[in-house]
């Protein structure tokens, strides 16, 4: 049996060898930076820094800087892993369609490896340079955000952001532990404040992005329990946030600068949540009260934690 | 790959390498500073 290739087959094989495989355009460094969710990271860095500065005791500036850097890298790593896992969901939502993975700018495996590298490095350096208890909490916060929230809760329950909000509440606690090396009531209260703040903050966004979440088939509270229930629950969390935010002052953990700031800010927060909590949207609604609440909720956290640091500086 | 694509390919690779180099340099400086602080504390 003649197995020698024909002239046509030889030409075809040569053509296959000679034709270069089209090289994939490498992702830009900006695309990897975008994977870290820089906008979310700003709030994480700020609250972590405030936790670190408000904690009793002192920390060497280099070690303090390292602690904040590790928390930042961990948040970035967790963000990249979240984008890797949710690439198909992101492609369906207007708000997230422009992200590097749905755009095809970064390969999914590259995003995953980048996230794992940042997460692993941040925990290792935190442990070796700062404190292993802080590193333990950092590792747990990454696990909580990526596995508990992103992979498990988000696609399954409308309570996803309530429980998942805990992941975002860890930074000030870790910043505090980096200084003190132990857990006391104060960092737990800071954790609880962000935990209680997350539902009204996030549901304000979810209320006007309802069609987006429906398109992505995500069981967000407005899509599952309905708008009215979401609005009432937002109001309930805001009512609880008011006394909770003042508690650090009441137990003597802070001075009056923080206490009065918390009282004023939480009262405004509640005043803005009341119209959101009691109204119903109509066809073609611009959702102004919800957008106003969402914008103020970000300012709220910045000013509240800023006041905590100023209070500590004045007391010190 | 067209010459323009090849040029873009090289530009992207160069900028990535530059940023990676700066990150590594920053890590070297940071680890040096951490070591000095840690030794100083002992």
């Amino acid at each position: 049996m003649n197995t020698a290739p024909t002239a046509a087959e030889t030409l075809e094989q040569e053509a296959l060898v000679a034709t270069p495989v089209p090289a994939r355009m490498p992702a830009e460094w900006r695309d990897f930076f975008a994977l870290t969710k820089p906008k979310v990271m700003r709030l994480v860095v700020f609250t972590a820094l405030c936790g670190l500065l408000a904690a009793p005791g002192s920390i060497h500036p280099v070690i303090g800087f390292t602690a904040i850097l590790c928390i930042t890298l961990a948040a970035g790593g967790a963000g990249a892993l979240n984008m890797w896992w949710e690439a198909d969901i992101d492609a369906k939502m207007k708000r997230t369609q422009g992200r590097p993975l749905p755009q095809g700018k970064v390969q999914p495996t590259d995003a995953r490896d980048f996230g794992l590298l940042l997460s692993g490095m941040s925990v290792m350096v935190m442990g070796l340079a700062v404190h292993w208890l802080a590193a333990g909490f950092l590792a747990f916060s990454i696990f909580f955000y990526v596995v508990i929230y992103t992979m498990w809760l988000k696609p399954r329950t409308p309570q996803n952001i309530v429980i998942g909000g805990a992941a975002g509440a860890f930074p000030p606690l870790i910043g505090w532990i980096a200084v003190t090396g132990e857990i006391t009531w104060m960092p737990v209260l800071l954790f609880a404040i962000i935990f209680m703040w997350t539902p009204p903050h996030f549901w304000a966004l979810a209320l006007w992005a309802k069609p987006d979440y429906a398109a992505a088939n995500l069981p967000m509270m407005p899509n599952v329990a309905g708008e009215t229930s979401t609005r009432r629950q937002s109001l309930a969390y805001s009512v609880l946030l008011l006394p909770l935010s003042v508690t650090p002052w009441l137990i003597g953990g802070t001075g009056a600068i923080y206490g009065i700031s918390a009282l004023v800010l939480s009262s405004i927060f509640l005043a803005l949540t009341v119209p959101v909590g009691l109204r119903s949207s109509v066809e073609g609604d611009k959702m102004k009260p919800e957008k106003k609440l969402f914008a103020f909720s970000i300012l709220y956290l910045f000013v509240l934690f800023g006041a905590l640091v100023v209070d500590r500086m004045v007391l010190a | 790959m067209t010459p323009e694509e090849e040029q873009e390919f090289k530009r992207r690779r160069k900028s990535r390498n530059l940023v990676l180099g700066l990150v590594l340099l920053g890590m070297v400086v940071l680890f040096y500073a951490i070591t000095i602080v840690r030794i100083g504390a002992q």
Side-chain angles (χ1 to χ4, degrees):
Chain A
M1 189 177 151
N2 185 13
T3 54
T6 63
E9 281 172 345
T10 311
L11 276 172
E12 195 180 3
Q13 278 171 3
E14 279 175 1
L16 280 172
V17 172
T19 309
V21 177
R24 181 167 56 82
M25 202 60 85
E28 295 217 49
W29 67 267
R30 287 178 193 84
D31 299 325
F32 281 98
F33 183 65
L35 284 177
T36 62
K37 299 192 176 181
K39 280 182 187 170
V40 177
M41 217 154 65
R42 273 191 304 214
L43 208 60
V44 168
V45 172
F46 182 75
T47 53
L49 184 66
C50 290
L52 186 130
L53 292 174
S58 63
I59 189 167
H60 192 284
V62 171
I63 305 298
F65 171 78
T66 308
I68 297 300
L69 185 69
C70 289
I71 296 170
T72 309
L73 293 180
L81 289 170
N82 168 277
M83 283 202 201
W84 160 68
W85 188 260
E86 292 188 338
D88 54 336
I89 298 170
D90 285 349
K92 292 175 192 161
M93 293 171 63
K94 268 187 212 160
R95 192 172 64 85
T96 51
Q97 271 167 357
R99 286 179 175 174
L101 280 163
Q103 291 284 313
K105 290 177 181 172
V106 178
Q107 290 298 303
T109 47
D110 290 348
R112 181 199 61 198
D113 297 346
F114 178 65
L116 287 173
L117 180 77
L118 285 185
S119 305
M121 280 277 294
S122 60
V123 173
M124 280 293 289
V125 176
M126 180 69 106
L128 290 169
V130 185
H131 205 286
W132 280 107
L133 184 64
F137 272 98
L138 193 63
F140 182 70
S141 70
I142 298 168
F143 172 79
F144 199 93
Y145 183 69
V146 177
V147 181
I148 309 272
Y149 171 65
T150 306
M151 296 179 179
W152 186 37
L153 293 173
K154 198 171 174 182
R156 283 178 180 81
T157 164
Q159 292 293 337
N160 47 20
I161 61 107
V162 177
I163 305 158
F170 274 111
L173 182 113
I174 298 168
W176 189 288
I177 295 172
V179 178
T180 62
E182 60 176 6
I183 307 176
T184 52
W185 275 110
M186 268 302 288
V188 174
L189 279 171
L190 298 181
F191 175 93
I193 288 167
I194 300 185
F195 182 77
M196 206 61 79
W197 163 89
T198 306
H201 159 75
F202 204 90
W203 283 336
L205 168 74
L207 278 166
W208 93 71
K210 199 177 154 189
D212 246 16
Y213 286 111
N217 213 16
L218 280 174
M220 301 311 287
M221 192 60 84
N223 304 71
V224 177
E227 262 199 52
T228 311
S229 170
T230 309
R231 289 173 186 280
R232 301 288 186 275
Q233 289 185 62
S234 287
L235 191 56
Y237 279 104
S238 298
V239 169
L240 291 172
L241 182 63
L242 178 58
L244 183 69
S245 66
V246 187
T247 308
W249 179 37
L250 298 178
I251 64 164
T254 68
I257 295 174
Y258 169 83
I260 293 165
S261 304
L263 191 65
V264 172
L265 286 164
S266 297
S267 300
I268 299 172
F269 192 89
L270 182 59
L272 288 173
T273 317
V274 168
V276 173
L278 299 179
R279 84 186 198 100
S280 305
S281 66
V282 290
E283 190 74 25
D285 204 307
K286 293 268 193 292
M287 303 295 246
K288 274 187 181 171
E290 291 75 15
K291 288 179 181 171
K292 210 169 160 182
L293 174 64
F294 182 74
F296 179 77
S297 65
I298 297 167
L299 183 74
Y300 170 88
L301 215 60
F302 269 109
V303 180
L304 187 76
F305 276 79
L308 182 74
V309 175
V310 172
D311 189 282
R312 170 81 189 147
M313 300 284 177
V314 172
L315 277 180
Chain B
M1 192 179 265
T2 64
E4 288 80 19
E5 282 174 335
E6 200 171 329
Q7 206 175 8
E8 176 64 11
F9 187 100
K10 284 179 181 169
R11 187 194 66 77
R12 286 187 179 203
R13 194 169 54 186
K14 194 178 170 184
S15 77
R16 259 175 69 168
N17 290 348
L18 187 72
V19 171
L20 194 61
L22 288 171
V23 168
L24 288 173
L25 188 71
M27 278 173 68
V28 169
V29 173
L30 180 70
F31 289 156
Y32 174 75
I34 291 169
T35 309
I36 296 296
V37 170
R38 285 300 216 179
I39 290 171
Q42 286 166 12

